[in-house]
Amino acid sequence: MKLLYPNILLSILAAATVQGEDNCTTPAPFIDNVEQPTIHIVMSITTGDFFTQLLEGAKLQAAKIDSKNEVQVAISQSDGDDSIMAQLILDAANDPNTIGILTVDGHADTLCDTINTVTNDTVPVVSFDFDGAKCSDSQILTKQNDKVMAQSVLNQALLNQGMNRNVGYVNDLNYAPLLNRNKVWEEMKSENGWNELFFVDNAANYSSAEALQSAIETAITSSEDVLDFIYAPWDYLSVNTVKALQATSSNGTAVYGADINNDDILVMTKPDSPWKATAGVDPRSIGAALVRMVAISASGNDLGGDDIEIPVELVTQEFLLDNNVTNMDELVLIDPELTLPGFMQACWIDSIVIGTDDSDSVGVVEDEAASMEDGDMENDETSSSDADKRMYNMVMPLLLLIPFTALVTSW
């Protein structure tokens, strides 16, 4: 008796592979009953390069969701006025082509009622950098891991600068992510004896970048003590703090900031730049991930929770200089974690990743296409092993039948 195990096994594996591919189709909300599927992005402010590049990534990702019926991105912003933002959210919900809404910033006490109304009408809402714990349970909240972002940068400041230093502070406590980073600052300041000489508050509300820079210059020159470093936990604040130090010839004062993008890298790597460390991930990858969250939520699938933190990485000036990094595309090749690999994936979405494949700044991630099955989110550490387990569970029961079938055939 001769058993053809290899041929039988190959047939089973082939059937299993085809079955997996056939099961991965674009969900109905993107192909049925919508002439032009649209994700509305409603923003409180768009100041700074971080938001510019976030929106770039959002647009790139939306174009990859459905090749047959390209998803559009409609962007609106309220200049920090929550009443205008609330109306923009309602307008987005009333658009017959809307498949989901992404909000950026804003305040829960004035926007919760609007968001509750929209989510009750079954329009999915994902909110980035929004303290909306009291809003609808149906709303998805997401943000960068602000605690890790601030802690990693301030740990680097402690390593570089030491304890009992004179420090300056530039922030705006009217926004959730900056308020979260402020909590870490207050703890670190107290624990390490950092003497805060000045606090430039409400920094996002200055009429222009020049006006903010002028306010920081005034704070620097008004202090009679030697200033060791300034913490400015948003790259818009960090860049203007650097400019203020250079304008006042404040050599020897360091800057510790937040976020990372092309313009930030240029500032950090200039000769004698005071900006020593920052933290974040590629903002284009954040924008892409936010769009995937909206799309997956709109498809009726589970994101794995309703309060999702985006991981961040520490980036030091020393690292950039040692590796001759001049832009984000070069940086992500050295540290791919900055592109959020495996984060918020779905098998029916071609996820973009920044800085891959020759001169292309954006490429499609082919090998992560199966990182989500039936809408359950999995991270990149587990998706491969879980896929192996699913294949094992599918194939092994069939393999166990082979000896029995062969025995019956031999009789």
Side-chain angles (χ1 to χ4, degrees):
M1 177 183 68
K2 183 177 181 181
L3 300 180
L4 301 178
Y5 284 167
N7 290 341
I8 297 173
L9 178 58
L10 287 173
S11 298
I12 294 171
L13 290 175
T17 302
V18 171
Q19 181 181 4
E21 291 175 353
D22 289 346
N23 283 340
C24 189
T25 57
T26 304
F30 301 102
I31 56 178
D32 294 343
N33 304 320
V34 180
E35 289 185 10
Q36 184 56 74
T38 303
I39 292 175
H40 282 266
I41 302 180
V42 184
M43 307 184 68
S44 176
I45 57 174
T46 56
T47 304
D49 296 311
F50 175 85
F51 290 121
T52 299
Q53 294 182 35
L54 182 148
L55 291 173
E56 178 189 341
K59 294 173 185 176
L60 291 169
Q61 182 60 85
K64 294 287 186 180
I65 290 175
D66 186 353
S67 59
K68 295 181 180 178
N69 196 4
E70 184 174 314
V71 176
Q72 300 295 307
V73 170
I75 301 165
S76 57
Q77 64 106 5
S78 65
D79 290 321
D81 189 324
D82 276 1
S83 61
I84 295 176
M85 190 170 182
Q87 186 58 54
L88 291 172
I89 293 171
L90 290 175
D91 292 344
N94 290 327
D95 177 1
N97 289 317
T98 296
I99 57 174
I101 299 172
L102 169 65
T103 72
V104 180
D105 290 319
H107 304 92
D109 54 349
T110 51
L111 291 177
C112 266
D113 288 344
T114 300
I115 291 173
N116 291 348
T117 298
V118 170
T119 55
N120 288 340
D121 290 338
T122 68
V123 177
V125 176
V126 174
S127 293
F128 177 64
D129 280 350
F130 178 72
D131 186 15
K134 297 180 181 179
C135 293
S136 169
D137 291 338
S138 301
Q139 178 192 19
I140 303 297
L141 301 175
T142 186
K143 61 181 180 296
Q144 294 185 89
N145 191 323
D146 294 308
K147 182 176 180 179
V148 171
M149 175 179 282
Q151 193 75 58
S152 61
V153 169
L154 292 174
N155 282 343
Q156 188 66 37
L158 179 61
L159 179 65
N160 293 349
Q161 306 293 328
M163 301 175 66
N164 304 314
R165 298 300 182 186
N166 290 329
V167 299
Y169 188 34
V170 182
N171 203 351
D172 192 322
L173 305 185
N174 295 301
Y175 296 91
L178 300 180
L179 190 59
N180 293 334
R181 296 166 201 176
N182 175 71
K183 294 176 183 177
V184 179
W185 166 251
E186 293 296 337
E187 292 172 0
M188 291 286 287
K189 183 176 65 173
S190 175
E191 292 171 359
N192 297 294
W194 291 338
N195 177 33
E196 187 175 285
L197 299 180
F198 64 78
F199 178 19
V200 179
D201 196 4
N202 299 313
N205 290 324
Y206 283 83
S207 58
S208 66
E210 291 76 17
L212 172 59
Q213 180 185 331
S214 178
I216 301 171
E217 289 176 18
T218 299
I220 293 170
T221 56
S222 297
S223 176
E224 297 180 356
D225 297 315
V226 174
L227 183 63
D228 294 300
F229 73 89
I230 302 173
Y231 181 47
W234 171 26
D235 67 333
Y236 175 68
L237 311 182
S238 307
V239 168
N240 283 289
T241 299
V242 169
K243 291 179 179 179
L245 286 172
Q246 292 170 339
T248 56
S249 300
S250 300
N251 299 325
T253 301
V255 174
Y256 294 86
D259 303 317
I260 185 72
N261 56 49
N262 284 333
D263 293 331
D264 298 341
I265 291 172
L266 288 176
V267 174
M268 292 181 73
T269 56
K270 281 183 178 179
D272 302 320
S273 172
W275 192 351
K276 302 303 180 184
T278 191
V281 288
D282 182 83
R284 295 167 296 181
S285 298
I286 293 176
L290 294 174
V291 163
R292 291 196 298 272
M293 289 186 205
V294 176
I296 294 166
S297 182
S299 72
N301 287 318
D302 183 16
L303 287 168
D306 57 9
D307 194 350
I308 300 164
E309 288 195 327
I310 300 171
V312 296
E313 296 278 313
L314 175 70
V315 179
T316 65
Q317 181 189 63
E318 182 181 18
F319 179 85
L320 296 175
L321 293 174
D322 287 349
N323 290 280
N324 298 313
V325 173
T326 63
N327 58 53
M328 279 302 300
D329 288 350
E330 293 173 357
L331 179 57
V332 299
L333 288 177
I334 300 171
D335 187 359
E337 293 300 313
L338 291 164
T339 65
L340 301 173
F343 182 75
M344 291 293 132
Q345 305 286 356
C347 64
W348 44 273
I349 298 177
D350 286 334
S351 299
I352 66 165
V353 65
I354 307 299
T356 59
D357 300 333
D358 301 324
S359 61
D360 295 335
S361 64
V362 179
V364 177
V365 182
E366 299 287 350
D367 58 351
E368 293 174 351
S371 65
M372 174 181 160
E373 178 175 316
D374 296 332
D376 295 323
M377 299 307 306
E378 300 168 336
N379 62 36
D380 54 339
E381 283 91 13
T382 61
S383 59
S384 178
S385 61
D386 287 350
D388 292 341
K389 291 176 183 177
R390 289 195 296 270
M391 181 64 75
Y392 177 88
N393 292 334
M394 182 187 301
V395 172
M396 283 308 298
L398 297 174
L399 291 178
L400 291 174
L401 292 176
I402 292 174
F404 176 76
T405 302
L407 181 61
V408 171
T409 303
S410 66
W411 287 346

